[in-house]
Amino acid sequence: MERAALGALLLAVLIWVLFPLYWAGITSLKEPTETFRPTLLPFVQFIPTLANWQDQFRLAGRDILRDLQNSLLVAAASASLALLLGSMAGYALARFPFYVGPLRNHDIATWFLSQVILPPAVVVIPFFLFMQRLGLLDTPLALILAHTTMNLPLATLLMRDTFLSLPVELEEAALVDGASRLRALVHVVLPLAAPALVSTGILAFAFSWNEFIYALTLTFERATTIPLLIAGAKMSQGIQFWFVSVRVLLALLPPVLLAFAVQRYVVRGLTLGALH
Amino acid sequence: MRDEGVKWALLLPAVGWILTFTVYPLVFSLLLSFQNWNLTSPPTWAGLANYVRAVQDPRTHNALRVTGLFVGATVAAELLLGFALALLFHRPMRGIRLLRAVVVAPLFTSPIALAFLGMMLFHEEDGPIAHLVRAVGAGKVHWLSDPTTALGSVVLLDIWQWTPFAFLVFLAGLAGVPQEPIEAAIVDGAGRWALFRHVLLPLLTPVIVTALLFKLIYSVKVFDLAFGLTGGGPGISTEVLALYIHRQGLEFFNLGYASSLSYIFLVLVSLTCIGLVLRVRHLYERL
C-alpha cells in the first residue's frame, strides 16, 4: 500500500518537473492555431509540423546563428579562463600553507566563497561604465570578462576541493624523482583531476550560457547571446506561442542536456564544494 | 624555498582578477553613490542626498517588500518541499535513479527562458493551466494581470526551478547520516517523532544551514524571472530590488541614485548572509 502511494507520488513529481518542458516541446511542433488548444499528444490529437522551426530560421536565422555563436564563444572562453585561474588558485590553496597576517588558507577560501553573495545587479552599472570607457560595449570580450568573474569562485573552490581529495604522495614521489613542481602538477595531478576539471568546466559553461543580466546590460546588437534572443521575443500583439516555444527550447536544451552528464556534480557545484 | 614563489604565482592571478573586476567596481560604485550623474552632463557631488532619497522613496520600500516576500516564500517552500520529498524518497526503490536524473533539468534551465515559458503556461486564456482550471469548472485566475497573484506566479516558477536543489542536497545529507545514533535511539525505544526531532534533525543541521544559505543567496538575486514573466508588473507589484536598481541605473540613467540603492542592497544581503557563511565555513576548513 505504502509502495503504491510512493509510486504515485513519484509519478506526480516526474509529471510536475517534465510537463513545462513537454509543453514547450509540443507547442513548437503545432500549427499556430493549434497552439491555443489544450492538446497533448502529437499524431493522436494534432499533426506535428516542423514549420515553426523552419519559419524561425528563415525569418531570424541570421540573428539566431549569431546569438548561438556568441553564446558558444562567451561560455567556452569564460569557462576555460575561470577553470585555468581557478585550478591554479585551488591547487595553491590545497597544497601550500598561506599566512597573510592573521589569515590562513580557509580564510582565503571563505573570501572566494563570499564573492557569490554579490548580486550582479550591484556591479553591473560600474561594469557598464568601464566597458563603455574601454570601448568594449557590445563585444563578446566584455561578457567573457564578466562571466569569468562570476565563475571564478566556483572554479577555485571546486578545484581546491578536488586537489585536497587527491593523495599528496603521488606528487611527492614525482618531486623526489627530480620533477619540478609545475611538471608534477601537469603530468601527475592534472590527469587525476581530469573528471573534476571537465565537470567544473561544464557547470561554468552552463551558468554562462544561462546568464542574463550582464548580457542585457553589456550587449545590444552584435554580441548578443541566446538569453537576449528570448527577451526580444516579446511581441506587441501578445505572445506568439509557436515562435516563443522554439526560442525557449533553443536556450533550454544545451545546458539541460549537459546537465545529465554532470548529475553527480550538481549539488557540489551549487554549494561551491561545501556538500558532495 | 622554490615553492614560495610558485604558490603565490598560482594564487595571485585569481585574487587579482577578483580584485580588478569585483572590488574595483564596488569602490567605483561607492564613490558614484555620493554623486549625481546621468551620463549627459558631468557628475556633481551630492553628499548623502541619494541615500536620503532611497530611504524616502516609496518605490524602494515596495522593492524591498516584494523582494522580502519572494525570498521568504521561495526559500521556505523549496526547503520544506525538498526536505519532505527527500525523506520520502530516501530508500531503495525503482524509479529513484530516473527521478534524480530528471530533477536536475530545472536547475539548468535558463531563467529568462523559463520566464517566457511561464508566460505560455500562465497565459490567462489559452495556457495549459487556464485550460485545466476551466476543465475542473473553476473560474478564471488572473495569474499575471492581478497585482496580488502575479508575484505568486513568479514564486511558482522559482519553486519549479529550485525545489530540486533542496531535494538533492537533503538526499545527499540523508545518505551521509551515520546509522549508529539512529540505531541506538531505536534500541532506547525512541518514537518516530523523537527520532526525527532529537537525532536526525541535529545530525542534518549543517546540511540544512548550507541549503538555506545558498538558496537565500540565489533567491535574493532574482532578476530574470521577474523581468521576463511580468516585467515587474502589473504596476510595480513584482518589481524586485535588482530590477528596480537596473531600471534606475540603465533605463532612467540615474547612475548615482542606482549606486546608492546598490549599496543598500549589498549591505542588506551581506548582513543576512555573513552570519550563515560563518556557520558553514568549517566545511571549507580542511587545511
Side-chain angles (χ1 to χ4, degrees):
Chain A
M1 189 56 221
E2 198 192 5
R3 289 204 76 83
L6 263 183
L9 186 68
L10 179 72
L11 194 65
V13 172
L14 287 175
I15 290 173
W16 161 265
V17 172
L18 290 176
F19 180 77
L21 305 172
Y22 180 72
W23 185 260
I26 55 170
T27 303
S28 80
L29 299 178
K30 287 178 175 183
E31 296 278 353
T33 51
E34 185 63 33
T35 58
F36 299 107
R37 305 204 315 126
T39 45
L40 290 174
L41 301 171
F43 299 106
V44 179
Q45 289 176 305
F46 67 91
I47 299 150
T49 166
L50 284 175
N52 299 324
W53 288 85
Q54 287 162 346
D55 283 355
Q56 271 291 283
F57 277 92
R58 204 182 62 239
L59 293 171
R62 281 182 54 182
D63 292 350
I64 294 173
L65 288 179
R66 180 202 57 215
D67 290 356
L68 278 174
Q69 218 174 341
N70 286 332
S71 277
L72 210 60
L73 170 67
V74 169
S78 65
S80 310
L81 255 172
L83 210 50
L84 175 71
L85 297 173
S87 320
M88 288 162 54
Y91 182 76
L93 288 173
R95 287 289 187 262
F96 304 104
F98 283 91
Y99 305 94
V100 189
L103 301 178
R104 300 288 175 271
N105 292 46
H106 58 257
D107 301 300
I108 301 172
T110 308
W111 179 72
F112 275 102
L113 172 66
S114 70
Q115 299 302 313
V116 291
I117 292 177
L118 190 72
V122 167
V123 279
V124 82
I125 290 167
F127 237 95
F128 171 81
L129 296 169
F130 286 153
M131 295 306 160
Q132 189 188 40
R133 198 160 300 171
L134 294 171
L136 291 177
L137 277 186
D138 204 23
T139 65
L141 184 58
L143 269 190
I144 292 171
L145 296 176
H147 289 181
T148 303
T149 312
M150 173 179 85
N151 279 325
L152 191 49
L154 169 90
T156 304
L157 292 172
L158 289 189
M159 291 319 295
R160 168 178 182 257
D161 192 46
T162 304
F163 293 130
L164 280 173
S165 68
L166 296 175
V168 175
E169 291 76 20
L170 291 169
E171 287 153 79
E172 281 169 351
L175 290 173
V176 168
D177 288 347
S180 72
R181 196 37 101 158
L182 283 179
R183 245 188 104 79
L185 177 58
V186 171
H187 291 284
V188 179
V189 184
L190 284 186
L192 291 171
L197 277 169
V198 171
S199 306
T200 307
I202 287 178
L203 288 179
F205 183 95
F207 293 152
S208 166
W209 181 281
N210 289 345
E211 197 285 324
F212 179 61
I213 187 166
Y214 283 115
L216 176 70
T217 309
L218 302 178
T219 71
F220 22 87
E221 202 191 330
R222 287 170 297 134
T224 50
T225 51
I226 287 293
L228 281 183
L229 184 78
I230 304 276
K234 211 166 236 171
M235 323 262 172
S236 51
Q237 70 277 45
I239 175 169
Q240 298 183 325
F241 296 135
W242 53 100
F243 268 14
V244 171
S245 56
V246 171
R247 294 189 174 200
V248 162
L249 287 168
L250 280 173
L252 290 187
L253 286 177
V256 167
L257 293 178
L258 282 176
F260 289 109
V262 290
Q263 281 178 51
R264 294 166 169 281
Y265 225 70
V266 169
V267 165
R268 191 189 292 200
L270 289 171
T271 59
L272 282 86
L275 298 173
H276 290 216
Chain B
M1 209 51 228
R2 257 183 343 157
D3 281 355
E4 199 56 24
V6 172
K7 76 178 201 188
W8 289 107
L10 289 171
L11 180 68
L12 285 181
V15 172
W17 185 286
I18 290 178
L19 289 176
T20 310
F21 290 105
T22 305
V23 179
Y24 185 42
L26 280 176
V27 172
F28 184 86
S29 200
L30 183 64
L31 293 175
L32 199 55
S33 74
F34 298 110
Q35 302 170 54
N36 281 326
W37 192 25
N38 59 8
L39 285 183
T40 52
S41 50
T44 54
W45 191 253
L48 286 172
N50 286 322
Y51 288 92
V52 174
R53 180 177 165 192
V55 173
Q56 292 169 342
D57 183 357
R59 209 160 151 175
T60 305
H61 303 164
N62 174 72
L64 283 169
R65 192 182 60 86
V66 171
T67 310
L69 282 172
F70 177 85
V71 172
T74 54
V75 172
E78 289 155 15
L79 258 60
L80 286 173
L81 257 174
F83 197 55
L85 289 172
L87 282 175
L88 282 169
F89 288 119
H90 173 60
R91 66 184 76 200
M93 65 180 282
R94 259 193 319 163
I96 194 73
R97 284 167 62 111
L98 175 70
L99 180 69
R100 294 178 65 125
V102 165
V103 296
V104 168
L107 291 169
F108 282 79
T109 301
S110 141
I112 188 71
L114 177 59
F116 273 74
L117 180 51
M119 283 171 73
M120 295 165 55
L121 299 172
F122 288 119
H123 194 278
E124 291 174 13
E125 294 297 335
D126 306 306
I129 299 173
H131 285 302
L132 185 69
V133 170
R134 235 187 328 250
V136 299
K140 185 171 167 181
V141 181
H142 298 275
W143 293 104
L144 302 177
S145 62
D146 182 310
T148 46
T149 37
L151 186 62
S153 303
V154 183
V155 168
L156 269 176
L157 282 189
D158 196 80
I159 289 175
W160 180 81
Q161 176 152 50
W162 282 97
T163 302
F165 168 70
F167 173 63
L168 292 171
V169 165
F170 291 134
L171 217 48
L174 284 169
V177 165
Q179 289 307 300
E180 300 81 38
I182 293 180
E183 280 157 14
I186 292 172
V187 170
D188 290 348
R192 277 189 123 175
W193 171 249
L195 195 66
F196 175 76
R197 173 69 190 80
H198 297 292
V199 183
L200 195 57
L201 218 49
L203 284 170
L204 282 175
T205 303
V207 176
I208 296 172
V209 173
T210 311
L212 178 67
L213 169 70
F214 281 96
K215 186 49 207 165
L216 200 64
I217 290 172
Y218 297 135
S219 272
V220 157
K221 294 180 182 178
V222 61
F223 177 86
D224 313 13
L225 284 183
F227 180 95
L229 185 66
T230 56
I236 50 170
S237 60
T238 56
E239 191 175 71
V240 290
L241 206 46
L243 193 52
Y244 183 45
I245 293 173
H246 194 265
R247 285 217 164 121
Q248 279 294 349
L250 295 154
E251 276 179 41
F252 312 149
F253 288 105
N254 293 322
L255 296 169
Y257 184 45
S259 300
S260 74
L261 289 176
S262 298
Y263 258 84
I264 293 172
F265 190 21
L266 186 61
V267 168
L268 286 175
V269 176
S270 307
L271 286 181
T272 321
C273 294
I274 282 172
L276 285 168
V277 167
L278 292 179
R279 281 202 68 172
V280 302
R281 76 196 292 268
H282 67 274
L283 294 165
Y284 297 85
E285 266 177 29
R286 288 211 269 146
L287 190 79

